[in-house]
Amino acid sequence: MKPARRIVALSAAVLLATAGCAGAESGSSGPIVVGSVNALSGAATFPEASQAAKAVFDAANASGGVNGRQIQYKALDDKGDPAAAAAAAREVVGRDEAVALVGSSSLIECEINNKYYEQQKILSIQGIGVDPACFTSPNIAPANVGPYHDMTLTLLYGSETLKLNDICALLEIAGNTLPSYQAAIDEWSAITGKKLKYLDATVPYGGSDYTSYIVKARNAGCKAITVNPVEPDSIGQLKAAAAQGWNDVTWLLLTSVYSENYAKAITNAGAGVYVPAEFYPFTDSTSPQNKDWRELMTKNNIPLTSFSQGGYLAAKYFLEVAKGISGDVTRESVTKALREMKPITDPMVGTPYVFGPGQTHHDNTAGWPIKLASGTNKWELVANDWLRIPKK
Amino acid sequence: MLQGALAGLAAGGLYAVLAVCLTLMSRLVRVVNFAQSATGMFGCYVAVFLSVDLGLPMWLATIAGILLGGLLSALLGWIVSTWLAEADTGTRSAVTVAVLLLLISLSFILFGNKPQPFHPILDGPALTVGGVVISQVTVVTVALAVLVAVASRIVLSRTPAGVQLRALSERPTTAELLGIPAKRLSIAVWAVTGVVSTLVISIVAPSQSNDATSLAMLVVPASAAALLGGFRRLDLAVAGGLGLGLIQGAAAQVDGLSVVRYFLPFAVIVALLLWSQRKEVWDAAR
């Protein structure tokens, strides 16, 4: 991989060098450029967030745009590669002079680019924030809850609603996420006064056989397991438990496994897979909460996933704020408007969205509990309201 | 520790079967087939597609997938034995690296990068040893590994075709001059190993992570296992596969070691290479 990295780095450098000499003129009459940096190719891809944002902007353009100006949306690929993520941000912020970043969804983008956004005085309404920097930077405020609060929520649901003791955590740690997950678990402990039975942070990503971890958890007497998995890994873990005949274990997972595909792949879910969905569950097809989103996604052939919910919401928040700007829509005016915005309430999320002047943005603290039971292959709602992390 | 080790046996059996296939390939057709598990993965994915999207019955789709795995492998064998008949092992093996990458990419393009809804052929526990449940999959993979190794051994030593194959691998040119159908035999070996690896992956894939990359990369621990037998000895390949699985399972039980667990196949490869090359002198080895 080394030479490939070098080539990417080199081309990024070339791009940077040329980016300076190609400033696009964005006057007050041309289109408003909005950008995003996304995992469109690479090991894990989620293209739906930026597709959903684009659908929202296209619909807005069709009905006259923002203050008479069209929105030009540029969704760039970070290829799951730090150098490419840096280059993409510089292309859209530096060369295309975007006024804001909206609907980005990536595994690494916040970590790589947050300092650059601060330098350039540009704000990002992340569609789906994953890495810790998405929630700890002054210039990034994701539309989603994020895996860390989601972890706290799933533990709260397991210990308080399902009354489960002996919860164990198997964490798949990529990069520097361990302290953030640890903080999420500590928050749960602070609220409930309960402790995990044990925490194993050595579970590998993309492992082929998780039997040994499952055996270890079972021998330790775990009644429930919380994991922060990607879909294939979670399927592997559930299958390992099923092969061991461990059918009374409860899985407390995160929105990362909430998909139709996952439900189809799981026949034996032990005592059930529970997830606090970060947005109002999209599998509830008749819900008024998701009606507009569902129609827009279906019309544009965009998969109905949590990612497309995040991208859709990010774009809607941006439009609402941009339409309230009197005068020119520029990077300065958008940044000022987002910093001073009133909270926007949307039935798709449990917490009103506000960018605000904060140094960190980790304020979305509600999930909607859903369950996947054995043999159903379908997600179902198990609550009538949002589950919230109690205010300290 | 023991429980963890037994838990690693399922993976061990899988490594062992693949290691036997790799050893056969290296011995008989002078190729280290990096695409060994990738062809299996692709065959399984097509099987899932046939059963889920086209509504074929499970068993029929699985058999179709296994045959396709064999066909893919045979096609690759045809390419290698047609255009690279006289090339050295390194060159022939390099082709399979390209195929490995091609198959991973192709499965992303055709089936997306989400895990597939496999339906298990075998499911659930078989027996309990020392508090650890041994799953049916484990029993079958371990048995299959031993069975394939023994069967290959018998074929190679007791049948005319086996003798011809051995002649081919020892002295390819002489064998051809004697009128042994080299190409047909080679392709047959490719096809058989393709069928066997697709079969074992079909059995294992439903019970573990089954995205394209992790299935295709099973070739790494399998290579480590095959290396124990120097890519020559089938019995050591089986032992290596099972041993590697046991060690990995045991390592996962100890917090201090579980980080190491993932690098084990690589560590084993390096250690074996260092050991086997210990008497080599620079000039002579190059």
Side-chain angles (χ1 to χ4, degrees):
Chain A
M1 290 317 272
K2 275 264 161 59
R5 277 275 158 80
R6 208 168 299 150
I7 289 165
V8 171
L10 198 69
S11 48
V14 172
L15 264 178
L16 293 186
T18 49
C21 11
E25 288 299 315
S26 70
S28 55
S29 55
I32 300 169
V33 180
V34 176
S36 67
V37 179
N38 310 279
L40 302 180
S41 65
T45 58
F46 7 94
E48 304 100 35
S50 50
Q51 286 169 353
K54 186 175 184 307
V56 174
F57 291 138
D58 287 348
N61 284 342
S63 58
V66 176
N67 306 351
R69 289 171 69 190
Q70 295 281 294
I71 291 177
Q72 189 184 9
Y73 185 60
K74 298 199 164 182
L76 295 175
D77 186 6
D78 72 10
K79 304 187 177 75
D81 176 275
R90 279 151 182 82
E91 180 178 331
V92 76
V93 176
R95 197 193 67 189
D96 300 333
E97 298 185 350
V99 299
L101 294 139
V102 176
S104 299
S105 66
S106 154
L107 293 171
I108 52 169
E109 196 258 331
C110 301
E111 186 62 45
I112 302 293
N113 292 326
N114 70 76
K115 287 282 180 280
Y116 176 69
Y117 297 157
E118 278 182 65
Q119 280 169 9
Q120 299 295 321
K121 302 191 173 57
I122 188 167
L123 300 187
S124 170
I125 307 177
Q126 213 78 6
I128 298 289
V130 182
D131 58 292
C134 298
F135 304 96
T136 55
S137 309
N139 287 36
I140 302 176
N144 66 323
V145 174
Y148 315 106
H149 281 335
D150 212 20
M151 171 77 53
T152 310
L153 284 166
T154 202
L155 285 167
L156 280 173
Y157 190 81
S159 70
E160 305 310 294
T161 309
L162 301 172
K163 303 279 183 244
L164 294 162
N165 297 320
D166 299 332
I167 302 175
C168 304
L170 298 181
L171 296 185
E172 301 190 339
I173 296 302
N176 59 348
T177 52
L178 183 55
S180 304
Y181 282 116
Q182 190 61 59
I185 292 165
D186 293 343
E187 185 172 15
W188 165 74
S189 293
I191 294 165
T192 60
K194 292 172 181 164
K195 288 261 181 293
L196 287 174
K197 190 155 184 82
Y198 80 84
L199 186 156
D200 182 348
T202 63
V203 183
Y205 261 108
S208 54
D209 185 12
Y210 289 102
T211 307
S212 36
Y213 292 92
I214 297 299
V215 168
K216 183 178 168 185
R218 191 179 187 177
N219 289 343
C222 308
K223 294 280 175 293
I225 299 181
T226 185
V227 199
N228 61 326
V230 287
E231 269 181 49
D233 294 6
S234 177
I235 291 169
Q237 288 150 9
L238 265 71
K239 291 193 162 160
Q244 291 288 311
W246 191 16
N247 294 326
D248 57 355
V249 59
T250 305
W251 298 90
L252 304 171
L253 305 181
L254 311 185
T255 309
S256 53
V257 300
Y258 177 34
S259 78
E260 300 275 10
N261 223 338
Y262 179 87
K264 278 200 202 100
I266 296 294
T267 41
N268 182 343
V273 173
Y274 290 87
V275 168
E278 295 188 31
F279 305 102
Y280 185 85
F282 57 85
T283 40
D284 180 7
S285 56
T286 54
S287 62
Q289 288 94 329
N290 282 336
K291 185 166 165 292
D292 296 350
W293 165 78
R294 183 175 290 274
E295 282 169 3
L296 187 68
M297 296 304 115
T298 321
K299 202 176 86 184
N300 289 287
N301 291 323
I302 298 168
L304 302 173
T305 65
S306 302
F307 294 105
S308 56
Q309 287 177 300
Y312 167 88
L313 282 171
K316 275 190 60 175
Y317 296 149
F318 173 80
L319 278 180
E320 187 147 338
V321 171
K323 280 178 176 159
I325 294 174
S326 50
D328 227 357
V329 178
T330 61
R331 188 178 301 174
E332 287 74 10
S333 66
V334 168
T335 302
K336 184 166 175 290
L338 282 169
R339 290 282 190 214
E340 295 167 357
M341 72 185 271
K342 297 260 178 303
I344 300 174
T345 311
D346 192 295
M348 283 170 72
V349 281
T351 317
Y353 180 85
V354 59
F355 204 113
Q359 282 301 298
T360 61
H361 303 278
H362 203 182
D363 312 324
N364 191 338
T365 53
W368 195 291
I370 50 173
K371 174 188 183 180
L372 173 65
S374 289
T376 58
N377 296 107
K378 267 217 306 282
W379 290 100
E380 50 191 302
L381 277 62
V382 287
N384 304 320
D385 194 11
W386 296 96
L387 172 71
R388 296 169 197 281
I389 298 176
K391 288 267 185 293
K392 288 188 187 68
Chain B
M1 248 347 214
L2 173 72
Q3 292 181 325
L6 287 175
L9 255 187
L14 173 67
Y15 300 159
V17 176
L18 291 173
V20 168
C21 291
L22 285 173
T23 306
L24 283 175
M25 295 291 285
S26 124
R27 258 180 75 174
L28 302 175
V29 292
R30 294 184 299 118
V31 165
V32 176
N33 185 5
F34 288 99
Q36 193 75 63
S37 51
T39 39
M41 174 274 293
F42 199 80
C44 290
Y45 270 37
V46 172
V48 170
F49 170 78
L50 291 175
S51 80
V52 174
D53 293 314
L54 301 187
L56 282 188
M58 189 45 212
W59 60 271
L60 194 66
T62 308
I63 290 172
I66 291 171
L67 290 177
L68 180 87
L71 266 177
L72 264 180
S73 195
L75 177 70
L76 182 55
W78 182 82
I79 290 169
V80 170
S81 51
T82 303
W83 284 297
L84 294 165
E86 297 297 321
D88 62 310
T89 310
T91 314
R92 290 160 69 101
S93 305
V95 175
T96 65
V97 177
V99 175
L100 162 73
L101 299 174
L102 174 94
L103 286 175
I104 293 179
S105 311
L106 194 62
S107 78
F108 280 157
I109 292 165
L110 293 177
F111 310 109
N113 59 358
K114 295 277 187 283
Q116 299 293 314
F118 278 92
H119 287 283
I121 305 172
L122 299 161
D123 198 16
L127 62 149
T128 312
V129 178
V132 182
V133 179
I134 305 279
S135 65
Q136 294 177 13
V137 171
T138 310
V139 175
V140 173
T141 50
V142 174
L144 194 67
V146 175
L147 192 77
V148 172
V150 171
S152 318
R153 183 70 202 274
I154 291 172
V155 167
L156 287 180
S157 56
R158 302 281 167 86
T159 63
V163 174
Q164 289 186 339
L165 275 170
R166 273 167 41 214
L168 260 181
S169 67
E170 304 287 332
R171 297 278 171 81
T173 323
T174 317
E176 285 227 62
L177 291 173
L178 284 170
I180 292 174
K183 199 162 157 183
R184 241 183 306 163
L185 278 173
S186 306
I187 293 175
V189 173
W190 280 87
V192 169
T193 57
V195 165
V196 171
S197 46
T198 316
L199 170 69
V200 73
I201 290 181
S202 301
I203 293 168
V204 171
S207 66
Q208 63 171 41
S209 302
N210 49 36
D211 57 312
T213 318
S214 59
L215 286 178
M217 284 305 163
L218 283 168
V219 75
V220 175
S223 303
L227 198 60
L228 185 69
F231 280 92
R232 313 285 309 160
R233 288 186 51 183
L234 293 169
D235 53 348
L236 284 179
V238 173
L242 296 178
L244 190 60
L246 290 171
I247 297 170
Q248 279 195 331
Q253 305 301 304
V254 183
D255 287 339
L257 288 176
S258 49
V259 180
V260 185
R261 166 177 197 265
Y262 240 54
F263 306 111
L264 262 174
F266 297 101
V268 169
I269 288 175
V270 171
L272 285 171
L273 283 176
L274 284 173
W275 177 250
S276 63
Q277 304 289 311
R278 70 193 178 283
K279 292 202 178 84
E280 296 289 352
V281 189
W282 270 105
D283 295 352
R286 295 293 147 259

